[in-house]
Amino acid sequence: MQVIIVKDKAEMGKTAAEIVAGGMRAKEHFVLGLATGTTPIPLYRELIRMHKEDGLDFSTTASFNLDEYVGIPGTHDQSYRFFMNRELFDHVNINKKATHVPDGMADDVEMFCAEYEAMIADCGGVDCQILGIGSNGHIGFNEPGTSLGSRTHRTALTESTIKDNSRLFEKVEDVPTEAITMGIGTILESESILLLANGANKAKAVADAIEGPITATCPASALQLHPNVTFILTEDAAADLKLEWHRG
Ligand code: PGA
């Protein structure tokens, strides 16, 4: 496990973008695992800059997003498909047909989840999975208590996640209560994983994930099992770590 501590969000985004772009340049048919939320936005801004100014090419890149709300269509401004189009896909030369976000409106959600796993496998698996972390330690929508071996599945959101996300909706009652998420087992099959965190509200979850026991009460702690995971943390998100980690 590698832990890189940086001074601010902008540096977090740049550091992550260097790693992602390095992977994309080294492998023609690169498969990105993508995340939504406020955390990866500096990364997406930097990738867009690299595309526009340095010619970073997305034309042969495919992507799979971690999760999507159940019950809202991709045209809804709070759907994760909408977010990805707005924050990244619309600004780079990625083939939209090669971008995958779980379908929150699927008639048969369980069947869709199995198909999503098959689509990832057909693309050869995810080369680099981007993750944020919830203040409760969740990754994707794998809330505390989720099996560490879980595959893509339908899940209920916890009260704490609904509350965290309610800032993005007019009323807390408007926040969807279910989602489709890649499972922890799915995430652990990625070739490499980059977890980004900023903000003091993530400090406890980050410390539990990196230095605590591997337990379903902190889903991100399962990343300790992965041979190629990098945490990119701002100083405030790293504040509860007890060991001395590298400062970037
Ligand atoms: P955030 O969400 O980036 O909006 O803080 C992260 C997460 O819940 O995984």
Side-chain angles (χ1 to χ4, degrees):
M1 173 191 305
Q2 202 190 351
V3 178
I4 303 173
I5 301 173
V6 295
K7 74 174 184 312
D8 57 23
K9 277 197 297 197
E11 208 186 314
M12 178 188 75
K14 283 204 173 82
T15 306
E18 287 295 334
I19 296 172
V20 170
M24 287 172 61
R25 291 189 178 113
K27 186 176 176 194
E28 193 185 353
H29 292 284
F30 200 70
V31 182
L32 268 171
L34 297 173
T36 53
T38 51
T39 309
I41 290 177
L43 160 64
Y44 298 152
R45 298 260 156 92
E46 181 62 11
L47 288 174
I48 293 166
R49 190 201 64 72
M50 287 173 150
H51 168 68
K52 292 195 179 348
E53 293 176 17
D54 308 336
L56 182 65
D57 180 20
F58 286 77
S59 64
T60 58
T61 299
S63 71
F64 287 90
N65 263 75
L66 279 172
D67 47 16
E68 177 61 284
Y69 291 122
V70 168
I72 58 175
T75 49
H76 188 292
D77 67 359
Q78 290 306 326
S79 75
Y80 289 173
R81 160 57 74 181
F82 193 94
F83 174 101
M84 288 312 306
N85 288 345
R86 187 185 63 214
E87 299 297 337
L88 181 64
F89 300 152
D90 285 347
H91 311 285
V92 295
N93 65 332
I94 200 162
N95 173 6
K96 281 260 180 84
K97 290 205 177 79
T99 67
H100 305 89
V101 180
D103 179 4
M105 298 300 282
D107 288 336
D108 185 333
V109 171
E110 279 65 35
M111 192 189 290
F112 176 83
C113 291
E115 284 167 10
Y116 202 65
E117 290 274 335
M119 283 192 281
I120 296 172
D122 284 351
C123 276
V126 171
D127 290 303
C128 179
Q129 177 66 56
I130 308 300
L131 296 176
I133 182 169
S135 57
N136 64 1
H138 75 205
I139 47 176
F141 272 127
N142 295 287
E143 301 283 18
T146 305
S147 162
L148 301 186
S150 52
R151 312 300 310 183
T152 301
H153 62 286
R154 174 186 202 137
T155 185
L157 310 189
T158 61
E159 283 303 316
S160 112
T161 297
I162 292 171
K163 195 164 145 278
D164 280 358
N165 290 355
S166 63
R167 68 187 192 281
L168 304 168
F169 289 80
E170 256 175 51
K171 308 191 285 301
V172 70
E173 300 79 58
D174 293 342
V175 186
T177 56
E178 287 189 321
I180 296 170
T181 183
M182 281 188 203
I184 299 171
T186 320
I187 292 168
L188 290 177
E189 281 173 9
S190 307
E191 191 65 26
S192 65
I193 297 175
L194 281 185
L195 186 145
L196 277 50
N198 68 277
N201 62 324
K202 302 292 176 70
K204 183 177 183 310
V206 163
D208 287 347
I210 296 175
E211 296 179 341
I214 297 171
T215 166
T217 51
C218 177
S221 66
L223 301 176
Q224 294 175 33
L225 296 166
H226 194 280
N228 188 3
V229 54
T230 303
F231 287 78
I232 305 176
L233 311 170
T234 56
E235 296 274 355
D236 51 0
D240 285 2
L241 291 175
K242 294 195 178 56
L243 301 177
E244 199 48 47
W245 297 93
H246 172 67
R247 274 156 216 273

